[in-house]
Amino acid sequence: MTEELDLTGQDSDAGSEEVVLTPAELIERLEQAWMNEKFAPDLLESKSEIVECVMEQLDHMEENLRRAKKGDLKVSIHRMEMERIRYVLSSYLRCRLMKIEKFFPHILEKEKTPHEGELSSLSPEELVFAKQYMANTETYLRNVALKHMPPNLQTVDLLRSVPKPDLDSYVFLRVKERQENILVEPETDEQR
Amino acid sequence: MDAAEVEFLAEKELVTIIPNFSLDKIYLIGGDLGPFNPGLPVEVPLWLAINLKQRQKCRLIPPEWMDVEKLEKIRDHERKEETFTPMPSPYYMELTKLLLNHASDNIPKADEIRTLIKDVWDTRIAKLRVSADSFVRQQEAHAKLDNLTLMEINTSGAFLTQALNHMYKLRTNLQPSESIQSQDF
């Protein structure tokens, strides 16, 4: 019953190419994306294809379980596995939302500039969320404080006041294959 | 990442169980399992094994490294070496804890195993602490450590990265340059 999924990968120069994944590999990729997102200090590129495929798999399995006979051991085992996958998926999306809320002006600014072969770091729903969050924050600040300020102080530059993601922060990385000749540059005095 | 999430990842490891029920092959999203026949060993992920054990539907077989003599050798080797030695499983801590908590009746000499694993853990965490201390003191930009497991990284990682971040910020702000402005709106 293992089916193979068509996952449309995105290639910066060649357009889309199809990558066929087994469901197990898909879950593996979701978990990789989850761990990377958790340990990275800023928002990584959006893996909406993986999210969509996982949702599809979960819905598919849910339908099968509904049709199957009740009270079976099989059903409870399937449900347990689905709960686990759902947890990883929600945790992944929650982590991304938290970073969007934390760094929203910078993320939206990056989205405005055209991509030079770089993939978007926001899915369409996340983009809507980020824009609404920004609008709400601005309205809130205006109504609570800014409109009571003297006229020349009534604007706030969110890009400068919200801290940028710290790309110089320390991270752990795990090398998956043996690599030679990787040079990690020591910091120099000119580096801020 | 919290310890519970590391345990969540560890629960995907395969362990051998001996079921007392029969069930034909199940096709999970993550892979196929079974078929289950009473008395015949089968490999399942840890989360399922623990669940079946709690429902009294199986008996757990300890992994082959979970044995007093082997662990004593590992512990002595770890104590001798200055660097980290490879561990029998990348999730040795979580596997031991879960298996000993739920299936200690299936594991011979459970208490000794618990003590041995704790000794190994303490030795490794002590080495990690020394290494982290020298990392911060000498203000290195990077360090390479082999054979660390995720649980160990996670235990000391949050503190280490934050301490290093602070040190970095303090270091890079020693010489104020003209391009840095202080807070202004």
Side-chain angles (χ1 to χ4, degrees):
Chain A
M1 206 170 95
T2 43
E3 333 131 21
E4 304 214 312
L5 303 161
D6 285 332
L7 188 73
T8 312
Q10 270 167 316
D11 207 326
S12 50
D13 33 90
S16 7
E17 45 176 65
E18 300 234 326
V19 175
V20 175
L21 285 183
T22 63
E25 286 168 353
L26 175 69
I27 302 298
E28 202 46 57
R29 286 218 190 166
L30 174 65
E31 288 177 356
Q32 272 297 321
W34 176 54
M35 291 197 43
N36 283 341
E37 197 72 59
K38 266 202 178 287
F39 286 112
D42 73 336
L43 191 66
L44 299 173
E45 79 183 33
S46 150
K47 304 269 183 200
S48 8
E49 336 78 65
I50 298 186
V51 171
E52 275 164 25
C53 286
V54 172
M55 292 288 298
E56 243 182 72
Q57 284 288 301
L58 287 177
D59 289 335
H60 190 58
M61 187 61 84
E62 181 70 49
E63 245 190 72
N64 286 351
L65 289 181
R66 232 179 317 190
R67 282 187 277 130
K69 48 185 189 295
K70 303 253 162 203
D72 211 2
L73 184 60
K74 267 197 207 179
V75 172
S76 68
I77 295 179
H78 279 283
R79 279 208 193 280
M80 274 195 280
E81 199 213 7
M82 276 175 55
E83 285 304 312
R84 284 177 65 92
I85 297 176
R86 228 176 246 139
Y87 169 71
V88 175
L89 189 59
S90 330
S91 185
Y92 171 67
L93 293 172
R94 243 179 300 140
C95 185
R96 289 179 63 86
L97 278 183
M98 193 190 75
K99 285 189 203 172
I100 292 176
E101 286 184 10
K102 204 166 167 196
F103 303 124
F104 65 95
H106 307 284
I107 295 177
L108 284 172
E109 191 62 34
K110 212 168 71 146
E111 288 296 303
K112 277 194 222 148
T113 58
H115 307 297
E116 300 111 32
E118 229 182 62
L119 294 163
S120 167
S121 48
L122 289 178
S123 72
E125 295 90 356
E126 286 169 350
L127 184 59
V128 171
F129 173 78
K131 288 190 173 148
Q132 281 182 339
Y133 190 79
M134 180 142 184
N136 288 342
T137 311
E138 285 176 338
T139 315
Y140 169 71
L141 287 175
R142 191 172 40 247
N143 291 338
V144 162
L146 290 178
K147 68 179 186 196
H148 305 294
M149 301 278 193
N152 58 332
L153 286 174
Q154 275 189 5
T155 55
V156 102
D157 183 357
L158 285 172
L159 267 179
R160 281 173 58 189
S161 36
V162 173
K164 263 202 320 205
D166 185 7
L167 293 173
D168 292 324
S169 70
Y170 284 76
V171 290
F172 280 97
L173 34 106
R174 171 180 293 161
V175 179
K176 289 165 91 159
E177 309 173 332
R178 196 176 168 72
Q179 297 281 351
E180 306 286 331
N181 299 329
I182 301 274
L183 178 65
V184 177
E185 287 177 11
E187 45 184 73
T188 59
D189 282 327
E190 290 94 53
Q191 269 179 319
R192 288 184 55 228
Chain B
M1 194 165 250
D2 14 89
E5 287 166 339
V6 182
E7 194 183 69
F8 179 83
L9 286 170
E11 284 172 347
K12 290 191 309 163
E13 291 287 292
L14 291 174
V15 292
T16 319
I17 61 164
I18 301 198
N20 57 19
F21 60 95
S22 68
L23 195 61
D24 33 295
K25 213 164 171 195
I26 47 176
Y27 302 94
L28 291 179
I29 299 177
D32 304 339
L33 295 177
F36 297 82
N37 292 309
L40 292 179
V42 65
E43 284 207 336
V44 294
L46 185 59
W47 57 269
L48 183 57
I50 300 282
N51 190 274
L52 289 174
K53 172 77 185 172
Q54 284 172 324
R55 296 201 240 186
Q56 294 173 328
K57 284 188 170 301
C58 73
R59 191 160 67 86
L60 283 169
I61 307 278
E64 59 96 30
W65 52 266
M66 204 174 272
D67 157 80
V68 175
E69 279 112 37
K70 292 213 175 91
L71 288 176
E72 274 176 353
K73 271 206 212 92
I74 290 176
R75 179 197 58 181
D76 296 333
H77 187 43
E78 187 72 45
R79 280 180 176 166
K80 229 177 5 159
E81 297 287 325
E82 273 197 18
T83 56
F84 295 90
T85 62
M87 280 287 111
S89 156
Y91 295 110
Y92 71 96
M93 198 63 194
E94 302 86 308
L95 278 175
T96 318
K97 179 203 161 232
L98 283 170
L99 288 175
L100 289 177
N101 280 356
H102 296 277
S104 54
D105 49 332
N106 294 151
I107 300 176
K109 301 202 197 148
D111 289 328
E112 283 183 41
I113 292 186
R114 220 186 287 254
T115 324
L116 283 168
I117 292 280
K118 185 169 187 316
D119 288 340
V120 171
W121 169 266
D122 289 337
T123 314
R124 288 168 71 93
I125 289 292
K127 283 188 204 172
L128 193 53
R129 229 178 283 139
V130 164
S131 167
D133 187 51
S134 76
F135 191 166
V136 177
R137 247 179 239 283
Q138 287 158 24
Q139 305 180 4
E140 303 275 344
H142 73 286
K144 178 175 98 100
L145 287 170
D146 294 328
N147 301 321
L148 272 185
T149 65
L150 187 58
M151 188 58 107
E152 288 148 3
I153 295 176
N154 198 59
T155 307
S156 48
F159 165 74
L160 183 61
T161 48
Q162 284 190 23
L164 290 169
N165 286 344
H166 277 302
M167 296 291 297
Y168 177 72
K169 285 203 185 82
L170 291 173
R171 262 206 307 285
T172 50
N173 285 323
L174 278 178
Q175 295 110 16
S177 63
E178 278 89 72
S179 59
I180 301 180
Q181 297 162 311
S182 57
Q183 254 185 358
D184 94 70
F185 281 81

